Amino acid sequence: MEKLCYSINYLNRSFIEIIDLLNQYGINCIIDARQESIDEEKICDEFNLDNIKRNLNKLRIYYINMGMEFGLNQQEINFQDMISSVNYNMGIQRVIAGIDKGFKIALIYGEDVLENSKMPVIIGYGLKKKNISMEHIIDGENQKTQQDIEETLLQVYKVKLIKKVAELSIKNIMKNVDLDMSEDDFKMEMIEEAYKMKYDEIK
């Protein structure tokens, strides 16, 4: 059976609109990766850290703040250190444990463009590595998958990725290393590099 996690954007939506979407998708648990240090003056009162928990709990929707686990405001840490950190992996395991218990979970975020959010770049990446499918809710009828996000990243960083491949190829030739790589393996390598590029851009 496929294990699935959702994401939902609260930006430019009212609390009632968010609840309608949660009900449409049968979501009964919200995970918030924001930290207490976020600038709440820029956030609608309904979605600040205190009110969102209270309002969701009244509707019997679980709310879990996991800002500590995912540390999305740590600007000094690089992508590899981030995904290797104890807190990050603890957070990924907590999400998976919730799914295994039967909860339908959505990660909440607030960004103008999905691909510019740290949520799919960091958390979506980690869940995919654990064979958890992600559906990013666009509206009541449309979603984007994590694969859709990856295809977008490949297009955005196409030129940079080509240069990166050329650099790696030259280095391997100089080291007399034979690059015996299938097309699928090559694409996966490029996706990994694209994640790193996007993370560096938005961290």
Side-chain angles (χ1 to χ4, degrees):
M1 183 177 178
E2 181 186 36
K3 294 183 179 181
L4 179 63
C5 183
Y6 295 92
S7 78
I8 188 167
N9 189 0
Y10 64 80
L11 197 66
N12 299 321
R13 285 189 170 119
S14 69
F15 185 74
I16 292 175
E17 288 173 321
I18 289 292
I19 295 303
D20 285 343
L21 283 173
L22 297 183
N23 289 336
Q24 284 186 55
Y25 286 87
I27 294 164
N28 56 13
C29 180
I30 286 289
I31 288 180
D32 194 340
R34 299 175 297 170
Q35 292 192 326
E36 293 183 3
S37 59
I38 60 173
D39 186 357
E40 295 203 343
E41 292 184 359
K42 298 180 180 179
I43 300 173
C44 174
D45 284 344
E46 294 176 310
F47 297 110
N48 70 34
L49 295 176
D50 291 327
N51 290 339
I52 189 172
K53 178 178 182 179
R54 187 184 308 114
N55 293 334
L56 288 172
N57 287 169
K58 285 179 181 178
L59 298 171
R60 297 187 178 182
I61 297 173
Y62 287 93
Y63 170 87
I64 304 171
N65 187 291
M66 293 178 61
M68 183 185 73
E69 283 85 347
F70 293 117
L72 300 188
N73 69 347
Q74 296 181 15
Q75 298 182 358
E76 301 303 321
I77 192 170
N78 65 37
F79 184 76
Q80 191 57 48
D81 288 341
M82 179 67 186
I83 63 174
S84 300
S85 69
V86 173
N87 280 353
Y88 172 83
N89 284 285
M90 187 182 301
I92 293 296
Q93 290 302 324
R94 284 187 68 188
V95 175
I96 295 172
I99 294 171
D100 287 342
K101 289 178 181 177
F103 289 102
K104 292 192 76 172
I105 295 173
L107 304 161
I108 195 165
Y109 69 98
E111 297 285 349
D112 288 323
V113 180
L114 172 62
E115 288 81 5
N116 287 338
S117 171
K118 294 179 181 179
M119 186 279 307
V121 176
I122 298 173
I123 307 174
Y125 173 91
L127 290 174
K128 184 188 175 189
K129 288 293 184 181
K130 297 294 184 180
N131 297 315
I132 305 295
S133 298
M134 278 215 73
E135 288 192 0
H136 306 282
I137 296 171
I138 306 302
D139 53 39
E141 298 178 354
N142 300 292
Q143 314 86 36
K144 282 187 178 182
T145 66
Q146 193 65 19
Q147 287 73 25
D148 292 331
I149 299 295
E150 291 173 350
E151 291 298 330
T152 299
L153 293 180
L154 287 175
Q155 289 301 313
V156 169
Y157 296 111
K158 186 175 182 178
V159 174
K160 289 184 178 180
L161 289 169
I162 290 172
K163 290 180 179 178
K164 185 76 173 180
V165 171
E167 290 173 4
L168 292 173
S169 298
I170 292 171
K171 287 180 181 178
N172 283 311
I173 289 171
M174 293 177 68
K175 293 178 181 178
N176 293 318
V177 175
D178 184 18
L179 285 178
D180 185 14
M181 187 180 292
S182 69
E183 185 175 338
D184 287 342
D185 289 340
F186 178 78
K187 185 174 182 179
M188 286 304 302
E189 190 71 24
M190 292 302 95
I191 289 172
E192 290 285 322
E193 291 297 326
Y195 273 114
K196 293 175 186 176
M197 289 176 182
K198 174 54 75 173
Y199 177 80
D200 287 342
E201 182 181 303
I202 65 178
K203 72 176 181 178

